[in-house]
PDB file of all heavy atoms in Angstrom:
ATOM      1  N   LYS A   2      42.007   2.796 -15.605  1.00 75.00           N
ATOM      2  CA  LYS A   2      41.997   4.204 -15.987  1.00 75.00           C
ATOM      3  C   LYS A   2      40.559   4.616 -16.290  1.00 75.00           C
ATOM      4  O   LYS A   2      39.852   3.938 -17.044  1.00 75.00           O
ATOM      5  CB  LYS A   2      42.878   4.429 -17.218  1.00 75.00           C
ATOM      6  CG  LYS A   2      43.114   5.893 -17.555  1.00 75.00           C
ATOM      7  CD  LYS A   2      43.982   6.573 -16.516  1.00 75.00           C
ATOM      8  CE  LYS A   2      44.306   8.003 -16.921  1.00 75.00           C
ATOM      9  NZ  LYS A   2      45.055   8.712 -15.864  1.00 75.00           N
ATOM     10  N   LEU A  15      25.514  -0.892 -14.039  1.00 92.00           N
ATOM     11  CA  LEU A  15      24.654  -0.539 -12.910  1.00 92.00           C
ATOM     12  C   LEU A  15      23.186  -0.735 -13.276  1.00 92.00           C
ATOM     13  O   LEU A  15      22.407  -1.320 -12.502  1.00 92.00           O
ATOM     14  CB  LEU A  15      24.895   0.905 -12.489  1.00 92.00           C
ATOM     15  CG  LEU A  15      26.207   1.242 -11.777  1.00 92.00           C
ATOM     16  CD1 LEU A  15      26.238   2.728 -11.423  1.00 92.00           C
ATOM     17  CD2 LEU A  15      26.402   0.400 -10.519  1.00 92.00           C
ATOM     18  N   LEU A  57     -33.993   6.635  -5.299  1.00 78.00           N
ATOM     19  CA  LEU A  57     -35.222   6.552  -6.077  1.00 78.00           C
ATOM     20  C   LEU A  57     -36.430   6.664  -5.158  1.00 78.00           C
ATOM     21  O   LEU A  57     -36.418   6.156  -4.027  1.00 78.00           O
ATOM     22  CB  LEU A  57     -35.271   5.242  -6.850  1.00 78.00           C
ATOM     23  CG  LEU A  57     -34.152   5.005  -7.874  1.00 78.00           C
ATOM     24  CD1 LEU A  57     -34.295   3.624  -8.508  1.00 78.00           C
ATOM     25  CD2 LEU A  57     -34.167   6.084  -8.948  1.00 78.00           C
ATOM     26  N   ARG A  67     -37.975  14.975  -7.411  1.00 76.00           N
ATOM     27  CA  ARG A  67     -37.136  15.619  -6.399  1.00 76.00           C
ATOM     28  C   ARG A  67     -35.685  15.536  -6.844  1.00 76.00           C
ATOM     29  O   ARG A  67     -35.236  14.510  -7.345  1.00 76.00           O
ATOM     30  CB  ARG A  67     -37.301  14.924  -5.042  1.00 76.00           C
ATOM     31  CG  ARG A  67     -36.321  15.435  -3.986  1.00 76.00           C
ATOM     32  CD  ARG A  67     -36.603  14.853  -2.635  1.00 76.00           C
ATOM     33  NE  ARG A  67     -35.529  15.169  -1.697  1.00 76.00           N
ATOM     34  CZ  ARG A  67     -35.566  14.886  -0.407  1.00 76.00           C
ATOM     35  NH1 ARG A  67     -36.629  14.297   0.113  1.00 76.00           N
ATOM     36  NH2 ARG A  67     -34.546  15.198   0.373  1.00 76.00           N
ATOM     37  N   ASP A  85      18.171   7.696  -3.861  1.00 95.00           N
ATOM     38  CA  ASP A  85      19.410   7.330  -3.172  1.00 95.00           C
ATOM     39  C   ASP A  85      20.560   7.637  -4.127  1.00 95.00           C
ATOM     40  O   ASP A  85      20.335   7.913  -5.315  1.00 95.00           O
ATOM     41  CB  ASP A  85      19.391   5.845  -2.788  1.00 95.00           C
ATOM     42  CG  ASP A  85      20.496   5.492  -1.801  1.00 95.00           C
ATOM     43  OD1 ASP A  85      21.002   6.412  -1.134  1.00 95.00           O
ATOM     44  OD2 ASP A  85      20.863   4.306  -1.710  1.00 95.00           O
ATOM     45  N   ALA A 123      11.863  -1.365  -6.534  1.00 96.00           N
ATOM     46  CA  ALA A 123      10.728  -2.236  -6.831  1.00 96.00           C
ATOM     47  C   ALA A 123       9.749  -2.284  -5.669  1.00 96.00           C
ATOM     48  O   ALA A 123       8.528  -2.243  -5.864  1.00 96.00           O
ATOM     49  CB  ALA A 123      11.217  -3.641  -7.170  1.00 96.00           C
ATOM     50  N   MET A 130       3.014   1.729   1.319  1.00 97.00           N
ATOM     51  CA  MET A 130       1.686   1.261   1.700  1.00 97.00           C
ATOM     52  C   MET A 130       1.653   0.881   3.178  1.00 97.00           C
ATOM     53  O   MET A 130       0.749   1.295   3.923  1.00 97.00           O
ATOM     54  CB  MET A 130       1.283   0.064   0.837  1.00 97.00           C
ATOM     55  CG  MET A 130      -0.071  -0.522   1.204  1.00 97.00           C
ATOM     56  SD  MET A 130      -0.528  -1.974   0.217  1.00 97.00           S
ATOM     57  CE  MET A 130       0.336  -3.265   1.119  1.00 97.00           C
ATOM     58  N   GLY A 142      -8.092  10.980   7.260  1.00 95.00           N
ATOM     59  CA  GLY A 142      -8.427  10.731   5.870  1.00 95.00           C
ATOM     60  C   GLY A 142      -9.269  11.866   5.313  1.00 95.00           C
ATOM     61  O   GLY A 142      -9.382  12.939   5.917  1.00 95.00           O
ATOM     62  N   ARG A 159     -22.131  15.937   5.907  1.00 83.00           N
ATOM     63  CA  ARG A 159     -23.335  16.320   6.667  1.00 83.00           C
ATOM     64  C   ARG A 159     -23.078  16.198   8.152  1.00 83.00           C
ATOM     65  O   ARG A 159     -22.650  15.140   8.641  1.00 83.00           O
ATOM     66  CB  ARG A 159     -24.515  15.438   6.248  1.00 83.00           C
ATOM     67  CG  ARG A 159     -25.817  15.763   6.982  1.00 83.00           C
ATOM     68  CD  ARG A 159     -26.989  15.092   6.298  1.00 83.00           C
ATOM     69  NE  ARG A 159     -26.879  13.649   6.340  1.00 83.00           N
ATOM     70  CZ  ARG A 159     -27.342  12.900   7.351  1.00 83.00           C
ATOM     71  NH1 ARG A 159     -27.916  13.476   8.383  1.00 83.00           N
ATOM     72  NH2 ARG A 159     -27.236  11.584   7.304  1.00 83.00           N
ATOM     73  N   ASN A 245     -25.373 -29.407   2.580  1.00 64.00           N
ATOM     74  CA  ASN A 245     -24.904 -29.713   1.227  1.00 64.00           C
ATOM     75  C   ASN A 245     -23.548 -30.396   1.221  1.00 64.00           C
ATOM     76  O   ASN A 245     -22.922 -30.525   0.180  1.00 64.00           O
ATOM     77  CB  ASN A 245     -24.841 -28.432   0.406  1.00 64.00           C
ATOM     78  CG  ASN A 245     -26.209 -27.786   0.260  1.00 64.00           C
ATOM     79  OD1 ASN A 245     -27.197 -28.476   0.059  1.00 64.00           O
ATOM     80  ND2 ASN A 245     -26.253 -26.470   0.392  1.00 64.00           N
ATOM     81  N   LEU A 273      -8.557  -6.595   6.936  1.00 98.00           N
ATOM     82  CA  LEU A 273      -9.494  -7.167   5.980  1.00 98.00           C
ATOM     83  C   LEU A 273      -9.705  -6.149   4.862  1.00 98.00           C
ATOM     84  O   LEU A 273     -10.061  -4.990   5.123  1.00 98.00           O
ATOM     85  CB  LEU A 273     -10.827  -7.497   6.654  1.00 98.00           C
ATOM     86  CG  LEU A 273     -10.781  -8.648   7.660  1.00 98.00           C
ATOM     87  CD1 LEU A 273     -12.141  -8.819   8.347  1.00 98.00           C
ATOM     88  CD2 LEU A 273     -10.360  -9.958   6.995  1.00 98.00           C
ATOM     89  N   GLU A 281     -14.616   3.563  -8.303  1.00 79.00           N
ATOM     90  CA  GLU A 281     -14.790   4.079  -6.943  1.00 79.00           C
ATOM     91  C   GLU A 281     -13.463   4.312  -6.236  1.00 79.00           C
ATOM     92  O   GLU A 281     -13.380   5.080  -5.292  1.00 79.00           O
ATOM     93  CB  GLU A 281     -15.632   3.097  -6.112  1.00 79.00           C
ATOM     94  CG  GLU A 281     -17.089   3.058  -6.480  1.00 79.00           C
ATOM     95  CD  GLU A 281     -17.857   4.222  -5.896  1.00 79.00           C
ATOM     96  OE1 GLU A 281     -17.342   4.902  -4.995  1.00 79.00           O
ATOM     97  OE2 GLU A 281     -18.987   4.466  -6.364  1.00 79.00           O
ATOM     98  N   ILE A 286      -4.460   5.348  -2.164  1.00 96.00           N
ATOM     99  CA  ILE A 286      -4.253   5.882  -3.511  1.00 96.00           C
ATOM    100  C   ILE A 286      -2.758   6.104  -3.704  1.00 96.00           C
ATOM    101  O   ILE A 286      -2.112   6.775  -2.890  1.00 96.00           O
ATOM    102  CB  ILE A 286      -4.997   7.205  -3.712  1.00 96.00           C
ATOM    103  CG1 ILE A 286      -6.503   7.009  -3.527  1.00 96.00           C
ATOM    104  CG2 ILE A 286      -4.706   7.789  -5.091  1.00 96.00           C
ATOM    105  CD1 ILE A 286      -7.278   8.312  -3.494  1.00 96.00           C
ATOM    106  N   PHE A 312      32.777  11.109  -8.479  1.00 82.00           N
ATOM    107  CA  PHE A 312      31.775  10.573  -9.398  1.00 82.00           C
ATOM    108  C   PHE A 312      30.523  10.201  -8.592  1.00 82.00           C
ATOM    109  O   PHE A 312      30.605   9.434  -7.640  1.00 82.00           O
ATOM    110  CB  PHE A 312      32.315   9.357 -10.143  1.00 82.00           C
ATOM    111  CG  PHE A 312      33.417   9.689 -11.111  1.00 82.00           C
ATOM    112  CD1 PHE A 312      34.710   9.960 -10.656  1.00 82.00           C
ATOM    113  CD2 PHE A 312      33.175   9.761 -12.471  1.00 82.00           C
ATOM    114  CE1 PHE A 312      35.714  10.271 -11.545  1.00 82.00           C
ATOM    115  CE2 PHE A 312      34.180  10.076 -13.366  1.00 82.00           C
ATOM    116  CZ  PHE A 312      35.457  10.334 -12.910  1.00 82.00           C
TER     117      PHE A 312
END
Side-chain angles (χ1 to χ4, degrees):
K2 190 69 175 175
L15 288 181
L57 299 177
R67 173 174 170 174
D85 193 20
M130 178 182 83
R159 180 167 63 88
N245 298 319
L273 291 176
E281 288 281 345
I286 299 171
F312 292 76

